[in-house]
Amino acid sequence: TLHVDEPSAHVDWSAGTVRLLTEPRRWQSSGPRRAGVSSFGISGTNAHLILEQAPEEDRPTAVETAAPLLLSARSPQALRDQANRLRAHLAARPGIGMGDVAYTLSTARTVFKHRAAVLGADRDALLTGLTALAEGREVPGVVRGKAVTKSRTAFLFTGQGAQRVGMGRELYEGFPVFAAALDELCGHLDPLLGRSLREVMFDGPAETLDRTAFTQPALFAYEVALFRLVESYGVRPDVLIGHSVGELAAAHVAGVLSAGDACALVAARGQLMEAATSGGAMVAVQACAEEVAASLPEGDAVAIAAVNSPGSTVVSGDAVAVVATAEHWRERGARVRRLSVSHAFHSAHMDPALDKFRGVAATVEFRPPVLPVMSDLTGEEATAEQLTSPDYWTRHIRETVRFADCVRGAEARGVTAFLELGPDAVLAPLAAECLSADALSADALTAPAVRRDRSEAQSLLAALCRLHLHGVAVDRSALVPPAGIVELPTYAFQRRRYWLRDTAAEPGERLDGWFWTAVGNGDTEALVDTLGLTPGQVAAAEGLLTAARRWREEALRAVAVLDGPPSAGDAREGGADGLPQSPDALAEWLAGHDRAGREGLLLTLVRTTAAEVLALPGPDDLDPEADFLDVGFSSLTAVELRNRLCTVTGLPLPPGVIYDLPTPRAVAAYLDEELGEREAVGEPTPEATA
């Protein structure tokens, strides 16, 4: 311990082998190491945590490309300064290995909210990226982001149509985790398909891979192996979304189906759907589903196969009727694209496959999911009863894929990061179209793990970096090859002077200050005495003061106009900064504003109050997403902030409010919710009851 050097007399130290450690000693251990860590005095709470050494795990092989340089800071300017300091440091020391630099940044640096990743093939490219980051320029290879508080993550599993020959070969050769997962699944699928699925994926002709009997098993195997690889980097999903056959991959990794049963089901699905009615067509229409549905002919000739986004709908069915529907929308100016498929999936053309598939599904064992899975059929989270029912998976072949509703449902559950697991970027851009304006303004992330136009390894590295920048937990040490720790520049602190104005000002400003004081006070005597004017010059001095005072008043009025008129609450029982000082004044201040306006005003209240407690120059010095503890709050100042907010709002806020709600935005949202509930029940403010 740091502060105790004499064992307590209240403990019988002779009864065991526990000893008080009063000086450093080598840690001898024959088994897993265990350590106790105590924390005393935070809001009067004492905590004790026991840590045990983690078992050794297989680590993914480092990406075969230059390791990324990961930087972070507490503000955008500090991030740019950090990049500039690092660039100058490396430029002056050409002998430092970039692998050591990347490893040090990934394993020996604190991570702050404002983040960046610099990617490049060699030292020169990385230095060029650091220069661009320092200058605030947008260039390829430099990715910026701001970590989202309590970010939740969804994995998207791509459906049929994204397949391509060669998919997975690079990942298979470079990553043992991916290779092991793919080999396991191919071991189950190859006997069911009658040939090597890996050969079909890596080397077979496109015509073979495009056959549904091979396409669906190939996508399933690829996506599950990619899931295992991403998982090995420490990334854990909170929600799973699969598009059509992709939901089978989601169900398997969620624990609904074992590897063997999942392979049996996906192989039967592909074979039966390929053997279903042929001669159909599928067309993607750039229009909303409701309008497209209203334009379809009566009967089963054409069906809505998928609702991929608010402006992207897929129709499927008889070729003649589908083409006629496409022409109808093309004439109305909508973009129309015919899909390259052999059958009309998710239409009446699939009816002959349903009974046989239901029979296969009845032979496998289903288990409740251990991860939430969004349902293609409902757009809501699938229940255990649905996912364990053969009828559910049979309907899955025939009914509409409601991908857009799944994305919206995930967003409603707090998901802000969407990672697509598939051989190309198909669902990620569609997911971006489905998100609300609030999510987009909050920089929600939609990213593909792999893109067909780039190296699979480089795409994966970039995607993992983007997740880290967004605030998703990623094992940063796994992103770089093992290397050494080297000396690098320390944090680029954003220093600010806090001296009194007369000593901090420039010499010219200090000399001129007396003059404007005299102008403001109309003090002719000060002007005469300081300048040593003669009696004959006094009249001129008085005229100068009058003209200068008039000019100053007009200038101040002009500045006030440029700054904008005061808010409606400035004249209502406000403090010096125009903010309300009581519950009644707060209610009047918020009256007439919509939800966004209320939240904005309450955020201003929280930031201004917090800045006053910390003696910061103003609310602009406190980021809405800044962690209270990171910017300097302690137990004492936390209570002071809570007390001030209680006085203004009249709410009985808990003493540890900033520990439960660690950012100004979170506190503002909580205040808005609590005030709204009080207004809804007509509860009077404490002042009114008094």
Side-chain angles (χ1 to χ4, degrees):
T1 65
L2 296 178
H3 309 296
V4 179
D5 53 16
E6 182 177 347
S8 169
H10 299 286
V11 175
D12 181 6
W13 297 99
S14 65
T17 58
V18 175
R19 296 290 180 268
L20 183 67
L21 196 64
T22 58
E23 60 185 19
R25 190 173 64 186
R26 288 189 60 81
W27 190 346
Q28 303 294 338
S29 177
S30 59
R33 292 183 173 185
R34 297 179 180 86
V37 183
S38 295
S39 174
F40 304 108
I42 298 178
S43 293
T45 300
N46 297 335
H48 191 74
L49 178 69
I50 298 177
L51 302 176
E52 180 175 300
Q53 180 180 358
E56 293 294 330
E57 296 182 354
D58 292 334
R59 296 285 295 277
T61 299
V63 177
E64 293 298 329
T65 186
L69 305 182
L70 303 178
L71 296 89
S72 70
R74 287 184 171 177
S75 70
Q77 183 59 50
L79 184 62
R80 292 193 292 270
D81 291 349
Q82 198 76 13
N84 191 47
R85 288 163 62 91
L86 180 60
R87 180 202 58 76
H89 181 85
L90 297 178
R93 297 165 178 80
I96 296 181
M98 298 305 288
D100 291 337
V101 173
Y103 185 77
T104 302
L105 292 173
S106 296
T107 62
R109 286 294 183 270
T110 301
V111 182
F112 300 106
K113 285 192 174 182
H114 293 273
R115 305 176 182 181
V118 179
L119 301 97
D122 51 36
R123 183 187 184 90
D124 289 342
L126 292 171
L127 290 177
T128 300
L130 286 173
T131 301
L133 177 59
E135 296 174 353
R137 292 186 287 112
E138 299 289 340
V139 297
V142 176
V143 188
R144 297 174 179 83
K146 182 179 178 183
V148 175
T149 303
K150 296 182 179 179
S151 173
R152 305 194 77 204
T153 306
F155 284 0
L156 312 177
F157 295 84
T158 317
Q160 192 163 344
Q163 69 277 1
R164 54 180 171 80
V165 173
M167 66 181 192
R169 182 193 291 112
E170 184 181 351
L171 297 178
Y172 185 87
E173 294 173 351
F175 298 88
V177 173
F178 182 92
L182 189 66
D183 285 344
E184 178 191 4
L185 297 172
C186 287
H188 293 291
L189 288 166
D190 288 354
L192 301 173
L193 302 177
R195 62 180 301 176
S196 169
L197 179 61
R198 192 168 56 247
E199 291 181 0
V200 173
M201 293 170 59
F202 293 175
D203 305 307
E207 293 78 10
T208 302
L209 182 60
D210 287 341
R211 285 180 50 192
T212 301
F214 292 104
T215 303
Q216 295 192 10
L219 288 172
F220 170 83
Y222 179 92
E223 291 168 6
V224 172
L226 186 55
F227 173 88
R228 302 301 180 200
L229 178 56
V230 172
E231 186 181 43
S232 70
Y233 282 93
V235 183
R236 302 287 187 269
D238 298 288
V239 177
L240 303 174
I241 301 175
H243 193 289
S244 191
V245 68
E247 192 171 328
L248 272 176
H252 166 54
V253 300
V256 175
L257 292 159
S258 67
D261 283 344
C263 289
L265 207 57
V266 75
R269 190 181 195 271
Q271 292 165 353
L272 290 171
M273 291 176 72
E274 182 177 292
T277 305
S278 59
M282 300 181 73
V283 167
V285 180
Q286 189 182 33
C288 71
E290 292 77 8
E291 293 178 340
V292 173
S295 71
L296 299 183
E298 295 184 2
D300 294 334
V302 185
I304 301 293
V307 181
N308 290 330
S309 76
S312 179
T313 306
V314 177
V315 296
S316 178
D318 297 346
V320 174
V322 168
V323 169
T325 300
E327 288 301 319
H328 167 78
W329 282 99
R330 185 177 285 110
E331 291 173 358
R332 295 183 59 177
R335 287 182 55 193
V336 175
R337 179 172 60 88
R338 183 163 180 170
L339 305 184
S340 180
V341 294
S342 59
H343 293 70
F345 303 122
H346 300 284
S347 76
H349 285 222
M350 294 293 103
D351 289 347
L354 301 183
D355 289 339
K356 293 180 180 179
F357 181 80
R358 184 181 290 104
V360 176
T363 66
V364 302
E365 180 183 357
F366 296 99
R367 293 182 291 271
V370 296
L371 288 172
V373 179
M374 302 301 291
S375 168
D376 274 352
L377 299 184
T378 66
E380 298 291 336
E381 182 178 333
T383 64
E385 290 74 18
Q386 289 173 324
L387 293 176
T388 56
S389 167
D391 287 338
Y392 175 85
W393 294 106
T394 302
R395 292 171 53 205
H396 207 263
I397 294 176
R398 173 66 173 84
E399 296 184 17
T400 302
V401 177
R402 302 193 177 280
F403 176 75
D405 290 336
C406 289
V407 173
R408 294 192 193 97
E411 180 190 340
R413 287 160 176 77
V415 171
T416 60
F418 296 82
L419 178 68
E420 179 177 1
L421 302 183
D424 195 16
V426 177
L427 299 182
L430 291 174
E433 296 176 15
C434 300
L435 295 175
S436 67
D438 289 342
L440 294 175
S441 64
D443 297 325
L445 173 66
T446 58
V450 173
R451 293 175 51 172
R452 70 166 62 226
D453 58 346
R454 296 184 183 177
S455 156
E456 288 184 323
Q458 292 176 354
S459 295
L460 177 62
L461 176 63
L464 292 170
C465 287
R466 292 185 67 188
L467 289 177
H468 163 66
L469 303 187
H470 187 73
V472 177
V474 179
D475 183 358
R476 294 178 297 140
S477 65
L479 297 175
V480 297
I485 299 293
V486 294
E487 184 176 349
L488 296 177
T490 54
Y491 187 79
F493 290 102
Q494 302 298 289
R495 294 178 172 84
R496 182 183 291 119
R497 294 182 64 92
Y498 286 96
W499 300 109
L500 294 176
R501 181 68 180 128
D502 59 348
T503 59
E506 294 297 323
E509 295 180 32
R510 295 202 302 270
L511 289 174
D512 295 343
W514 71 270
F515 174 77
W516 292 109
T517 300
V519 169
N521 296 332
D523 192 350
T524 305
E525 184 177 348
L527 191 64
V528 171
D529 291 344
T530 303
L531 297 180
L533 301 179
T534 65
Q537 295 173 317
V538 172
E542 292 176 344
L544 173 63
L545 283 179
T546 301
R549 184 165 56 251
R550 185 183 304 113
W551 176 88
R552 184 172 183 269
E553 292 172 351
E554 292 177 354
L556 290 175
R557 281 196 295 270
V559 170
V561 171
L562 290 175
D563 287 342
S567 65
D570 285 351
R572 302 174 189 165
E573 199 179 334
D577 51 13
L579 296 180
Q581 302 296 307
S582 69
D584 287 340
L586 177 66
E588 187 178 358
W589 194 53
L590 299 176
H593 291 278
D594 59 14
R595 179 180 179 183
R598 286 170 57 94
E599 289 183 353
L601 291 174
L602 289 170
L603 181 58
T604 299
L605 172 67
V606 173
R607 292 175 69 194
T608 302
T609 307
E612 291 174 351
V613 171
L614 291 181
L616 296 176
D620 291 341
D621 292 88
L622 191 64
D623 191 292
E625 305 297 341
D627 191 294
F628 285 117
L629 298 182
D630 285 345
V631 298
F633 270 92
S634 64
S635 299
L636 183 63
T637 50
V639 172
E640 183 179 352
L641 173 60
R642 175 258 186 184
N643 290 345
R644 291 196 185 194
L645 293 177
C646 286
T647 299
V648 176
T649 64
L651 296 172
L653 301 176
V657 63
I658 74 165
Y659 298 104
D660 299 327
L661 306 166
T663 68
R665 191 179 300 280
V667 172
Y670 175 78
L671 294 179
D672 186 44
E673 181 179 352
E674 293 297 307
L675 291 170
E677 291 183 1
R678 187 172 70 183
E679 293 172 1
V681 299
E683 179 184 339
T685 64
E687 288 191 0
T689 57

